[in-house]
Amino acid sequence: MATSEDKNIRKTFTVLENSKTDNEKFAALLLFAKTTNAKELSLEDRKRALDAIGVAFFNRLLKSKNIPEDCEVDVYRSLALKILSGLCGDNQLVLEFEVYKNLRSINDIITDSDSQEDMIIDCYDLLSAFAQTEEGSIKLVDYGTVTALSEVITKHLPGCEKGQVILQSVLQLCGDYAWKKDTPSMQVVLEHFCKQLETFQDERKFELCAVVSGIVSSLPKDVANKSLQRTWFKSLVHAIADMFTSKLGQPQRDPALRLASSVLDKLGVDCILPPNRDDCKLLLVIIHLSCIEVRISLENLNPDQITSKADTLVSCYNLLELIICHMTSAPSLKLDENQVLQLHSAMEGAFNSVIFYLREQSELEIQNVDPSQIVLASVRVLGSWVAEETSALKARVQEILPFILKLCKCQLKCTKTKRPSLKKKSVKFKSDTEDHTDSTLSSKLESCTITQEEIENNTIPQNVDLGKDSSESHSDITSEDVKDSCSCHVSESDNSDHKRLPVVNQDSTNSDSTHSNSDEIEKLEINKSDQSVCSNSTSSGTSVSGDINIRNVDLIGFLLPGFCHMTAEDLSRKILLDNDLQSVLSLYFKNCVDGLEEKFEEDILRSMETLCGVFLNLVVLEPELIAENEELHKVTQSIFKCAKLICNKEDTLTLWANIITLGVFFLRQQAHVKYDKDDLTKFFSMVVSFIKAPYTSLTVDSAEVLSVAELYIPVWDSIYQLWYLCIQATTSCLPMYPTLVYAMMSTGFLPHIIRLLNKVHGRNVDEDTLLCLIGVITSLVTSEVKAVDVLRSCGGFEFARLYNCSELEKLIEK
């Protein structure tokens, strides 16, 4: 049975729905406000009320200038805002009922210093509802609310604290869009906060860290690249230096480290190096403190305490990744020997703690439970270490490889065929390597020792005259000391007061992963560590820590460079294979290929290039496994599919070379496996194309010389060894696969190569290239009788004599 209260509400709804004129609507609205508590209404009732009133009526209330003489000037606006904020607390209702059409009026109210306090509160309640979703946040950007919030914050208008929270939410959900839509306002806000961060010398400095971190994290790439030209950049760097050259307690270290992580992630490690700073000491201090924080957290805290420090810990991980990438792919920091040893020692200690933590976690049952974000982040950061450091902590890493592979299998199971994206916030690093720290730095360095809503009554007008419905267009509002057994003091040149800084220890090292080669490959080496951690690094700073889970962090992608190293070492490879690495990589490779069908994402391409390196290690060092393992037979089928997807595409040429070479190597060991003949024919045609396409002739000083084809010039340095290996493997495959012989003959391989080499007359033809080509030509002639006739007709005798190929000459004569 309906209560009297329910009957009153139904009666009110009837009055609302039957009102026609503005007077009737206003009277009904007053009745509604008096008899109901909007926030206690069901979603359906609130929708019914909004439908009955109509957004257009609210819009007229907010814009009307025809206020009766005996009423307060804001009576209409106040009532409209009260009802709207009560009914539209749900983040979907503000969008469904187009409340965003009132945003410009709301912007006017929050930027007017004379607006009533209760109206401002209602405005921010509505804006908060918008800011809870990405779509709502985009509406705030489109309707000028970000501009209004910028004015509120920088002028310290009433409600600026709430405005700050809303702006942070908007930037988290659609920061890139907000910057592109209203760059001037965003620059003003960032400059405002950076100046405060630089000026404040009390707890407010550290309270601002989260705000500045959120804004910096939202910077688009083009804006970040031009940051050095902005005044806020100098203020920001000076503020960071001020914090890290002071004594910081735990409450100060956490926000400072999170800010440093965001800044270095978005603006690059170079932002705190010369010429922006006098030296690299600030970077060393930050990295050292990160290492200390990792050790304190993982070695001394219980699981609940570790979870509570997730944001800080993940930020420290991010800083470790960044310094590893910088030291292995950027110009040397020019550290002295002592600094290098200290840096390497500190980082080794930090990663030792990471391994210690993961080993503890490996003893827990995770089959039916998602691993925690700290576990996932720990595996990821460890991947950056093993990608570059091949000696230190190797035995300890080997101990947890079974657990790591268990996590990888868990991820593949959770994501099924959908590959998680590596892209969060991509960190770009220089590709050219210069000076690198030696990866065999002593592991015997001394390690660090660590301790430790009511509605108010208004005067009600008796006659409502809102005038005509206003147009929707509306103009925009134009530490505590860190203890450590290796202590040193560093003084900042820009600080007159000498401050004690914690020692910074350690450096990540760069050791290029080289594939072990069989005798037939001789001295040809493929370096896959170019793809190492820097290729797959993405932000793991504070903005990521909240949503790290097994479904959206590509653990395998981050571990691939390390796997590339480990599969070249006997013991590590045995452990990995004993724990079913081949099945993990097979499914991961399939998922990557499936992802290419949707879009050629850069991170997928890089991961696949590195994955090819892992498989090449296996095919050279474990040929029997490639021959017999059914999971690896599936890899061959995925190779056929991938080769077709990326064939003849300039932006995937490097991956294509990897895929073709890997496919030939696999097929050489799998001659007994029955693959679809059509797939084999198409793949072998692409193999022939890869062998003959890279070289052409070029006229130099009136003479024809052998030259790399224009299409291949940009990538030749990274794929030429693959070309050699592909030819060698193809030479071995010719007697095994009639379809390969057919592909060679039907694509005109022999006439093309013979005429090209005859044309250049040996000019610029290096010995390795010549030997590889002669080998494949000879193998083809011995495998196919008709090849001899083709050779004779296209200048085979001339070729054999020109390049002293006595064996080939004899074959032609027969």
Side-chain angles (χ1 to χ4, degrees):
M1 179 180 293
T3 64
S4 59
E5 184 177 347
D6 290 335
K7 291 179 180 179
N8 288 335
I9 292 175
R10 301 307 162 207
K11 182 178 179 180
T12 302
F13 278 126
T14 301
V15 174
L16 276 174
E17 292 166 342
N18 292 333
S19 59
K20 304 300 180 184
T21 66
D22 281 351
N23 272 335
E24 292 175 349
K25 281 183 178 290
F26 191 78
L29 203 58
L30 291 176
L31 178 62
F32 179 80
K34 182 178 180 179
T35 60
T36 62
N37 185 336
K39 295 183 179 180
E40 293 181 358
L41 293 177
S42 67
L43 181 61
E44 290 302 317
D45 283 341
R46 281 186 280 159
K47 287 183 177 182
R48 182 180 175 186
L50 287 167
D51 277 328
I53 300 168
V55 175
F57 183 70
F58 283 119
N59 195 38
R60 294 200 298 279
L61 281 174
L62 289 169
K63 295 181 178 180
S64 177
K65 303 297 182 182
N66 301 319
I67 309 299
E69 293 181 0
D70 57 343
C71 295
E72 294 183 9
V73 67
D74 289 324
V75 62
Y76 291 157
R77 296 198 297 175
S78 178
L79 181 60
L81 290 170
K82 285 294 181 186
I83 302 299
L84 273 176
S85 63
L87 292 175
C88 297
D90 185 277
N91 53 49
Q92 291 303 318
L93 288 182
V94 292
L95 297 171
E96 184 178 343
F97 288 90
E98 300 182 338
V99 180
Y100 53 82
K101 292 183 178 179
N102 297 304
L103 281 174
R104 298 195 188 280
S105 297
I106 293 174
N107 297 342
D108 289 340
I109 294 171
I110 64 174
T111 54
D112 184 354
S113 58
D114 295 327
S115 294
Q116 296 178 18
E117 181 180 355
D118 61 336
M119 290 172 55
I120 294 175
I121 293 173
D122 291 334
C123 286
Y124 282 116
D125 285 345
L126 284 168
L127 296 180
S128 296
F130 279 100
Q132 292 172 20
T133 64
E134 182 178 4
E135 185 181 357
S137 296
I138 290 174
K139 293 297 183 184
L140 294 180
V141 176
D142 289 340
Y143 283 81
T145 304
V146 167
T147 305
L149 292 174
S150 170
E151 182 178 346
V152 169
I153 292 169
T154 56
K155 292 182 178 180
H156 295 282
L157 296 177
C160 59
E161 294 84 2
K162 290 186 177 180
Q164 180 178 308
V165 173
I166 291 170
L167 181 60
Q168 286 180 262
S169 179
V170 170
L171 293 179
Q172 185 176 6
L173 293 171
C174 62
D176 193 72
Y177 183 73
W179 273 95
K180 291 179 179 179
K181 190 79 172 181
D182 194 0
T183 301
S185 294
M186 293 307 306
Q187 293 281 13
V188 168
V189 170
L190 182 54
E191 187 163 337
H192 169 77
F193 284 124
C194 287
K195 191 64 179 176
Q196 286 189 329
L197 190 70
E198 179 185 29
T199 304
F200 291 161
Q201 296 299 323
D202 51 27
E203 287 303 314
R204 291 177 297 172
K205 179 188 285 284
F206 299 96
E207 291 169 358
L208 277 175
C209 285
V211 180
V212 176
S213 176
I215 300 175
V216 170
S217 296
S218 69
L219 282 169
K221 181 180 177 181
D222 58 337
V223 178
N225 289 341
K226 299 176 182 177
S227 60
L228 295 179
Q229 306 168 13
R230 309 297 305 189
T231 56
W232 59 259
F233 173 78
K234 293 182 179 179
S235 297
L236 178 57
V237 173
H238 186 271
I240 292 174
D242 190 36
M243 286 186 282
F244 282 98
T245 55
S246 302
K247 295 181 180 180
L248 300 178
Q250 190 67 52
Q252 292 81 40
R253 285 205 304 273
D254 286 357
L257 285 168
R258 291 196 292 265
L259 174 63
S261 175
S262 296
V263 171
L264 269 62
D265 193 3
K266 185 58 67 170
L267 303 183
V269 174
D270 289 334
C271 73
I272 57 172
L273 293 175
N276 302 310
R277 298 286 298 168
D278 293 336
D279 50 42
C280 63
K281 292 176 183 177
L282 176 58
L283 175 62
L284 298 180
V285 171
I286 292 173
I287 298 304
H288 183 74
L289 277 179
S290 300
C291 293
I292 298 299
E293 195 65 38
V294 169
R295 295 189 65 179
I296 290 175
S297 301
L298 298 183
E299 293 179 9
N300 298 348
L301 303 183
N302 62 45
D304 291 338
Q305 291 173 320
I306 292 175
T307 300
S308 69
K309 288 182 64 68
D311 283 350
T312 301
L313 192 55
V314 173
S315 294
C316 291
Y317 284 172
N318 187 47
L319 288 167
L320 295 181
E321 289 185 27
L322 291 171
I323 188 62
I324 289 173
C325 284
H326 186 83
M327 296 192 72
T328 57
S329 63
S332 170
L333 293 177
K334 294 182 171 55
L335 305 178
D336 61 39
E337 183 178 358
N338 186 51
Q339 288 173 320
V340 170
L341 293 177
Q342 287 182 335
L343 187 57
H344 187 275
S345 178
M347 292 190 73
E348 185 176 330
F351 281 103
N352 190 54
S353 297
V354 172
I355 296 171
F356 168 80
Y357 172 73
L358 288 175
R359 185 171 182 178
E360 283 192 330
Q361 295 300 307
S362 69
E363 298 172 1
L364 304 177
E365 182 59 52
I366 66 163
Q367 289 182 351
N368 299 317
V369 182
D370 281 352
S372 72
Q373 61 172 353
I374 298 298
V375 171
L376 299 176
S378 298
V379 172
R380 187 187 123 158
V381 73
L382 184 61
S384 70
W385 172 262
V386 298
E388 305 299 342
E389 176 55 81
T390 59
S391 56
L393 303 177
K394 181 168 70 174
R396 304 240 18 224
V397 171
Q398 290 171 344
E399 292 175 1
I400 61 170
L401 286 179
F403 175 63
I404 289 176
L405 283 174
K406 188 175 183 180
L407 288 175
C408 292
K409 293 174 185 176
C410 181
Q411 181 183 62
L412 289 172
K413 181 179 179 181
C414 290
T415 57
K416 295 182 180 179
T417 59
K418 182 175 177 59
R419 178 183 178 275
S421 176
L422 280 167
K423 294 178 69 175
K424 274 285 183 193
K425 296 176 184 175
S426 295
V427 185
K428 302 298 182 181
F429 297 92
K430 299 176 183 178
S431 58
D432 298 330
T433 58
E434 296 186 21
D435 297 333
H436 295 150
T437 308
D438 191 313
S439 67
T440 58
L441 291 174
S442 172
S443 60
K444 299 180 180 180
L445 300 174
E446 185 177 4
S447 61
C448 302
T449 303
I450 310 305
T451 63
Q452 78 133 102
E453 248 152 66
E454 294 181 359
I455 298 177
E456 298 180 359
N457 294 327
N458 290 303
T459 304
I460 306 301
Q462 300 301 313
N463 295 298
V464 180
D465 180 10
L466 302 180
K468 295 181 179 179
D469 192 3
S470 304
S471 171
E472 290 302 325
S473 63
H474 191 73
S475 60
D476 287 340
I477 300 174
T478 50
S479 73
E480 96 194 20
D481 287 333
V482 178
K483 298 179 181 179
D484 145 62
S485 61
C486 305
S487 61
C488 74
H489 296 251
V490 185
S491 60
E492 289 295 305
S493 59
D494 62 346
N495 193 339
S496 58
D497 296 326
H498 182 78
K499 300 180 180 181
R500 180 176 180 180
L501 298 184
V503 164
V504 181
N505 312 15
Q506 206 252 283
D507 151 83
S508 147
T509 59
N510 178 40
S511 175
D512 290 346
S513 106
T514 325
H515 297 292
S516 301
N517 301 307
S518 61
D519 293 339
E520 66 186 296
I521 301 178
E522 296 181 347
K523 297 181 180 180
L524 297 178
E525 298 178 347
I526 304 177
N527 186 332
K528 290 294 174 183
S529 67
D530 292 341
Q531 271 67 259
S532 70
V533 62
C534 295
S535 300
N536 291 335
S537 178
T538 61
S539 172
S540 61
T542 57
S543 61
V544 180
S545 63
D547 61 357
I548 294 178
N549 62 65
I550 196 68
R551 294 171 182 82
N552 67 11
V553 176
D554 187 4
L555 289 182
I556 302 173
F558 288 111
L559 291 167
L560 283 176
F563 285 161
C564 202
H565 286 298
M566 288 184 276
T567 50
E569 301 170 354
D570 292 342
L571 179 56
S572 296
R573 184 175 66 255
K574 183 179 185 305
I575 295 172
L576 290 170
L577 294 178
D578 287 347
N579 287 275
D580 208 21
L581 173 69
Q582 56 273 27
S583 297
V584 170
L585 297 185
S586 174
L587 181 54
Y588 183 81
F589 187 69
K590 179 183 181 301
N591 291 351
C592 286
V593 175
D594 291 343
L596 291 179
E597 289 187 299
E598 300 175 10
K599 185 179 180 181
F600 285 6
E601 292 185 2
E602 185 179 355
D603 62 295
I604 296 182
L605 300 178
R606 283 199 303 258
S607 290
M608 293 185 71
E609 288 175 25
T610 312
L611 185 52
C612 287
V614 179
F615 280 135
L616 278 173
N617 279 344
L618 294 179
V619 76
V620 170
L621 299 170
E622 302 285 345
E624 293 182 1
L625 179 70
I626 304 297
E628 303 300 333
N629 189 274
E630 292 185 3
E631 291 296 330
L632 294 174
H633 297 171
K634 295 177 183 178
V635 171
T636 305
Q637 294 173 329
S638 294
I639 287 173
F640 294 158
K641 180 179 179 180
C642 182
K644 288 185 288 185
L645 286 173
I646 62 177
C647 183
N648 298 321
K649 292 180 173 58
E650 186 175 355
D651 56 344
T652 60
L653 195 54
T654 301
L655 176 59
W656 188 66
N658 276 274
I659 291 295
I660 293 298
T661 304
L662 180 62
V664 177
F665 267 79
F666 267 51
L667 288 171
R668 185 174 62 173
Q669 303 299 333
Q670 298 172 353
H672 61 287
V673 182
K674 293 184 179 181
Y675 291 111
D676 182 81
K677 185 177 180 180
D678 187 52
D679 286 341
L680 278 173
T681 301
K682 291 178 180 178
F683 178 75
F684 282 137
S685 294
M686 288 183 280
V687 172
V688 176
S689 176
F690 176 51
I691 293 175
K692 74 177 188 179
Y695 281 112
T696 186
S697 62
L698 181 67
T699 303
V700 178
D701 296 331
S702 301
E704 296 292 328
V705 300
L706 191 67
S707 174
V708 177
E710 184 177 356
L711 176 65
Y712 284 81
I713 290 176
V715 299
W716 189 241
D717 285 344
S718 60
I719 69 169
Y720 76 94
Q721 293 189 26
L722 290 169
W723 185 79
Y724 287 131
L725 294 176
C726 183
I727 292 183
Q728 291 180 6
T730 301
T731 302
S732 301
C733 285
L734 277 168
M736 307 176 189
Y737 291 96
T739 47
L740 175 56
V741 174
Y742 172 79
M744 284 277 194
M745 298 299 295
S746 62
T747 56
F749 169 77
L750 275 178
H752 172 82
I753 294 298
I754 296 299
R755 288 166 182 164
L756 174 62
L757 292 178
N758 286 346
K759 183 178 181 180
V760 301
H761 209 74
R763 287 181 288 269
N764 205 33
V765 181
D766 65 85
E767 184 178 357
D768 287 335
T769 302
L770 181 61
L771 289 176
C772 285
L773 289 173
I774 290 175
V776 73
I777 292 171
T778 303
S779 181
L780 178 60
V781 171
T782 56
S783 301
E784 176 55 55
V785 176
K786 295 180 181 178
V788 177
D789 295 332
V790 175
L791 266 179
R792 290 170 179 160
S793 65
C794 66
F797 273 118
E798 180 186 352
F799 171 84
R801 292 167 183 169
L802 177 62
Y803 292 99
N804 298 318
C805 304
S806 57
E807 181 181 354
L808 186 60
E809 188 173 358
K810 292 177 182 179
L811 289 173
I812 297 175
E813 289 175 349
K814 288 182 181 179

